Amino acid sequence: MSGRTADGPRPALLGVRHHGPGSARAVRAALERCAPAAVLIEGPPEADALVPLAARDGMRPPVALLAHVQDDPGRAAFWPLAEFSPEWVALRWALRHDVPVRFIDLPAAHTLAMPQDDGSTDTDRATDGAAPDATDVRIDPIRALAGTAGYDDPERWWEDVIEHRGTAPDGAHPDADPLAPFAALAEAMAALREAYGDGGHHRDPLREAHMRLRLRAARKEFGDDLAVVCGAWHVPALARRTTVAADRQLLKGLPKAKVATTWVPWTHRRLSRHSGYGAGIASPGWYGHLFSAPDRPVERWLTKVAGVLREEDYAVSSAHVIEAVRLAEGLATVRGRPLAGLTELDDAIRAVMGDGTDAPSSLIHDRLVVGEVLGEVPDDAPAVPLQRDLTRSQRTLRLKPEALERELQLDLRKDTDAGRSRLLHRLRLLGIPWGEPARSRGSTGTFRETWQLRWEPELAVRVAEAGVWGTTVHTAATAKATTEATAATSLAEVTALAEHCLLAALPDALPVVMRALADRAALDTDVGHLARALPALVRSVRYGDVRGTDATALRDVATGLAERVFVGLPPACPGLDADGAAELRGHLDATHRAVALLAQEDNPPQPPAGPRTGQRTAPPARPADLRARWADVLRTLSERDTVPGLIRGRATRLLLDEGALADGGAERLMGLALSPGTPPADAAGWIEGFAGDGDSGDGGMLLVHDTRLLALLDGWLTGVPDGAFTDVLPLLRRTFAAYDTGVRRTLGELARRGPTTTTPGPAPAADTDTPGFGPGLDRDRAAAVLPTLRLLLGHGQRGFDDLTEVAS
């Protein structure tokens, strides 16, 4: 298939390693020498129409060709290209010289129609000699050549022989003939294929047959003056003499699908992954530096390193850089390397700039060796309508995609931040997790949101998949929410969907979701399901108020659901085993929080009538007082002997925290639970429910400050029979191990000193020698802090008056 002239073989077969800067420089030099009439590149032929976009100013690598099945966008494949990829260099050279470009690999229409064995085009790109993954049984040619040369590390051999070519201090290329390296590499690959056979990935024969057919077609169109840029492994197959009939026979009957192709941004971090991308490289940032540095790559690299370390407040001077350069070059000389590689540079950084620690090296690896670079593509690149709407929204909201993970704080009282929140929630509903909610720092208000943002290249596929729901993010999220509401089978699914609809501001979907919610709630009789659904429903009511959404219907459903939980909870408790009791305890806590929030929503603070009278407008009457009804349920649970001790103890604790127990009520219930007639295991469960750290984390502090409860607990514990003590010890250990170290130490001191009383009644005066205890409540001193407390908590006048009433 190839002839030879004085300038070299025709066509010129330029075997490369994908994402190799040495290969990229050699390809550029070879193209300058050959000046071909056309350039053929390993890639999907469907991308031929996208070639002109690579010359646009808005195109900045790393980028990738994306092909996906139009009817099933989830079946997709990427062909990533970095600035230092030989294919990208060849593509840009051809565009600058107005030379036609053709992609010659097996069409994506066939590749994506074949059964997916994790051998998609991403994996197939391991054909250049990169370490193959588990689906590729072909030998690793780079490892084989490195072993022949006496190297135990194939990456180090490749760097020394290929990547460091042309990176001499003066920047001069050492080869007089730019085609010589490709001839040598082709000869080596031919020897490997002869020794080990052509066996490799099962698609290699198909791909090579199609490449030969495309090469023949190009020779008819442009003549023999061609340059072919492909993985080095394929060069012997392309040079092999075969017949057109034989190649067509191999491709006969292949499945075919209708595909769409486009350019999408890529990242250096994604290039560095070996899982899911067989031709991934370990150090894209370093390779990019080797490719772009005009001269003295070691000195320039260590200067970059010094700049990054100074930004992180490391004391790095010019003297450190000079000394690190000398050490790296000395190590390369001792190790017989033509140029200091990453191993030598890392050793020099650790020794000179890091004082022997690995901290600087880890930082440099993330920032420079890999790097967080996100490419860009032109606005007029082909895209589904949903992607175009998303791009417009990102610009309007000034929310630019970035490869580096960053935290975004939102104040929902601001229009722009509220719009950002709606967009991110709608994308999550569509299965496009650009942002993930995170815990807010410094504020627990419902008008605050915190997000962790990171744009991954694979999200482009998610956007294409979501395009079936609509042409805009809003309409697509609405359509998906209504469909999921109809298809949902559990109450928890529908309540979570209702929460998402309010967060994403989808008023058109909410009525459908509410109907489904009412239907599921009416049919579900499992109190566990009802209790699990209630918190999300109540949160949705709060979110609706914060975002200005009418949540009246949702509030009514939440109230009805709470009442059903009140009725069904007591009958569900008797007869539970330990695991069932533990699960129900979680539902008890969640319902308690939900009732408190729902009561706040039902009784919003009223503005004062005037500063003189201090009178307030009475809240609207409620058909049922949720707090009072919930307190009755807790009392029932706390006093019923058939209820497991864990649940009785937790109900007692919740009543105590709410101030719903009469004086001595907690001591009475604790005395009954720890009476001699109670089985020790049940009593230990009661203690775990009562004194275990809940959401407030103050279970231990309760015992520290209430010596009567501590005395009851101590008296019971000392009276547990020896035979039963071993059984209750794990429960007690689990309870007390959750306390802070200081709390456990204080409890130990109080137990050693001995409690002051074990009988119900007014609390005795605490021991004045005990740190943190006083002789009693000083109401004047307590009232003095109320104004400051009001400011810290952000309460209005009503909250201040309530605090005053409590203090008085």
Side-chain angles (χ1 to χ4, degrees):
M1 291 181 58
S2 63
R4 175 175 292 274
T5 68
D7 292 331
R10 297 292 182 92
L13 302 179
L14 309 180
V16 300
R17 186 188 192 192
H18 303 305
H19 317 312
S23 293
R25 285 190 302 271
V27 164
R28 184 168 54 192
L31 292 176
E32 292 290 347
R33 168 65 66 85
C34 296
V39 175
L40 310 183
I41 300 175
E42 180 185 331
E46 293 91 343
D48 284 351
L50 303 177
V51 168
L53 292 174
R56 300 287 183 83
D57 293 337
M59 180 74 80
R60 183 173 65 87
V63 293
L65 287 167
L66 164 64
H68 64 83
V69 178
Q70 292 187 4
D71 296 335
D72 184 9
R75 296 179 68 87
F78 297 95
W79 287 259
L81 299 171
E83 177 188 12
F84 47 84
S85 298
E87 299 92 339
W88 179 258
V89 169
L91 182 61
R92 295 284 295 207
W93 182 93
L95 290 172
R96 282 195 304 269
H97 293 81
D98 198 23
V99 172
V101 174
R102 300 288 187 270
F103 289 105
I104 62 172
D105 205 347
L106 187 67
H110 296 311
T111 302
L112 296 177
M114 296 178 185
Q116 296 296 300
D117 55 358
D118 214 18
S120 64
T121 306
D122 263 359
T123 304
D124 290 343
R125 289 293 297 274
T127 54
D128 60 350
D133 64 7
T135 65
D136 196 337
V137 298
R138 179 176 65 250
I139 65 163
D140 180 356
I142 301 301
R143 183 175 297 277
L145 293 175
T148 303
Y151 281 73
D152 57 358
D153 183 355
E155 291 295 327
R156 183 177 173 183
W157 174 84
W158 183 264
E159 273 200 349
D160 287 352
V161 177
I162 303 295
E163 303 307 342
H164 290 169
R165 294 169 54 85
T167 54
D170 60 357
H173 198 290
D175 291 318
D177 181 6
L179 297 177
F182 297 106
L185 195 56
E187 184 178 354
M189 291 298 169
L192 285 175
R193 294 185 72 137
E194 182 179 354
Y196 295 100
D198 292 337
H201 193 278
H202 63 276
R203 293 183 186 172
D204 278 356
L206 301 178
R207 298 175 62 202
E208 291 165 354
H210 190 270
M211 289 183 193
R212 287 192 293 264
L213 291 176
R214 294 279 289 184
L215 179 55
R216 289 189 182 96
R219 294 180 72 176
K220 289 182 180 179
E221 182 178 1
F222 303 107
D224 288 342
D225 195 11
L226 303 173
V228 181
V229 180
C230 64
W233 179 259
H234 299 303
V235 169
L238 298 187
R240 182 182 306 156
R241 293 186 177 275
T242 61
T243 64
V244 174
D247 287 338
R248 287 178 177 172
Q249 182 63 33
L250 278 175
L251 301 174
K252 186 177 180 180
L254 289 181
K256 192 174 184 179
K258 191 174 182 180
V259 302
T261 57
T262 186
W263 290 103
V264 295
W266 203 253
T267 66
H268 270 187
R269 191 172 63 88
R270 186 66 178 86
L271 273 176
S272 71
R273 295 180 183 170
H274 288 280
S275 58
Y277 182 57
I281 54 177
S283 50
W286 165 245
Y287 275 9
H289 171 79
L290 285 178
F291 181 73
S292 61
D295 56 18
R296 301 187 178 279
V298 172
E299 290 86 341
R300 292 178 182 274
W301 178 261
L302 289 173
T303 301
K304 288 182 181 179
V305 169
V308 170
L309 294 180
R310 286 172 189 148
E311 290 176 359
E312 298 296 327
D313 295 330
Y314 281 86
V316 179
S317 66
S318 299
H320 285 91
V321 176
I322 295 171
E323 195 62 33
V325 169
R326 291 173 177 170
L327 179 57
E329 291 177 344
L331 290 172
T333 301
V334 171
R335 295 169 181 174
R337 307 195 67 179
L339 183 74
L342 270 181
T343 304
E344 289 72 32
L345 291 169
D346 188 57
D347 291 342
I349 293 168
R350 184 184 296 107
V352 178
M353 300 181 182
D355 296 327
T357 66
D358 290 329
S361 298
S362 300
L363 177 65
I364 297 307
H365 179 272
D366 294 337
R367 296 276 188 89
L368 294 180
V369 175
V370 175
E372 293 291 352
V373 179
L374 177 64
E376 297 179 2
V377 299
D379 294 337
D380 56 347
V384 295
L386 182 63
Q387 177 64 66
R388 296 193 182 281
D389 180 69
L390 174 58
T391 301
R392 285 193 296 267
S393 299
Q394 290 168 337
R395 289 182 175 175
T396 301
L397 298 172
R398 301 190 298 277
L399 203 57
K400 183 179 180 181
E402 297 179 72
L404 182 66
E405 183 174 299
R406 68 183 180 99
E407 184 177 275
L408 178 67
Q409 298 277 352
L410 298 180
D411 184 344
L412 302 182
R413 297 169 296 186
K414 300 177 180 178
D415 292 341
T416 299
D417 282 0
R420 291 171 174 174
S421 173
R422 288 192 295 268
L423 176 63
L424 293 172
H425 280 296
R426 289 169 182 173
L427 291 176
R428 291 190 75 233
L429 184 58
L430 289 169
I432 307 170
W434 176 19
E436 291 292 339
R439 183 179 296 275
S440 297
R441 294 179 296 181
S443 174
T444 58
T446 53
F447 59 86
R448 296 281 187 187
E449 276 187 355
T450 302
W451 293 81
Q452 292 291 336
L453 301 183
R454 183 199 289 272
W455 185 265
E456 296 282 4
E458 291 86 348
L459 295 181
V461 177
R462 299 287 188 92
V463 174
E465 288 180 295
V468 300
W469 297 107
T471 58
T472 68
V473 176
H474 183 198
T475 58
T478 299
K480 186 176 183 182
T482 54
T483 302
E484 288 188 350
T486 305
T489 58
S490 70
L491 181 60
E493 291 176 0
V494 185
T495 52
L497 189 58
E499 183 177 6
H500 291 158
C501 287
L502 281 170
L503 291 169
L506 302 175
D508 294 337
L510 198 55
V512 178
V513 176
M514 291 305 304
R515 285 196 298 270
L517 179 59
D519 293 342
R520 301 298 185 279
L523 296 175
D524 202 326
T525 58
D526 190 315
V527 69
H529 294 170
L530 299 176
R532 207 165 22 239
L534 182 60
L537 208 54
V538 174
R539 286 196 305 269
S540 300
V541 175
R542 295 189 74 202
Y543 293 146
D545 290 343
V546 171
R547 289 164 170 78
T549 304
D550 185 8
T552 303
L554 202 60
R555 183 182 292 106
D556 293 340
V557 174
T559 302
L561 201 63
E563 293 174 348
R564 291 185 61 193
V565 173
F566 297 167
V567 173
L569 197 56
C573 290
L576 291 174
D577 58 11
D579 293 337
E583 181 180 358
L584 197 61
R585 173 193 169 177
H587 296 328
L588 201 67
D589 286 342
T591 302
H592 184 74
R593 294 191 300 271
V595 168
L597 292 176
L598 194 58
Q600 289 179 5
E601 297 298 327
D602 290 332
N603 297 280
Q606 300 295 322
R612 291 185 179 181
T613 62
Q615 296 177 352
R616 299 185 300 275
T617 303
R622 290 284 303 159
D625 187 343
L626 289 178
R627 281 184 179 272
R629 290 198 59 190
W630 177 239
D632 291 339
V633 174
L634 293 176
R635 290 191 187 93
T636 301
L637 295 176
S638 66
E639 297 179 354
R640 187 170 291 180
D641 293 339
T642 56
V643 174
L646 181 67
I647 303 299
R648 285 187 286 119
R650 195 60 190 165
T652 303
R653 174 60 187 280
L654 294 177
L655 287 169
L656 180 64
D657 290 345
E658 288 293 307
L661 286 177
D663 290 341
E667 291 83 352
R668 180 181 66 83
L669 292 173
M670 189 176 195
L672 292 173
L674 303 184
S675 63
T678 304
D682 193 54
W686 194 96
I687 294 171
E688 182 180 3
F690 180 82
D693 271 358
D695 294 333
S696 60
D698 59 356
M701 295 304 297
L702 177 66
L703 297 177
V704 168
H705 291 289
D706 196 325
T707 56
R708 293 169 297 175
L709 296 179
L710 181 61
L712 288 170
L713 176 59
D714 184 62
W716 170 80
L717 185 59
T718 56
V720 173
D722 293 343
F725 186 78
T726 304
D727 297 331
V728 302
L729 183 59
L731 297 177
L732 297 175
R733 181 181 180 87
R734 183 170 58 193
T735 300
F736 289 95
Y739 296 164
D740 291 338
T741 303
V743 172
R744 295 201 301 268
R745 183 183 301 111
T746 303
L747 288 175
E749 293 174 355
L750 292 174
R752 185 170 59 252
R753 185 181 298 113
T756 57
T757 182
T758 59
T759 59
D767 207 346
T768 55
D769 294 336
T770 304
F773 286 86
L777 175 62
D778 188 333
R779 298 184 182 276
D780 293 335
R781 293 182 63 190
V785 304
L786 290 179
T788 303
L789 185 61
R790 177 172 63 88
L791 293 175
L792 292 174
L793 297 180
H795 283 284
Q797 181 65 33
R798 182 189 177 197
F800 177 69
D801 293 339
D802 291 342
L803 289 171
T804 305
E805 292 173 6
V806 171
S808 61

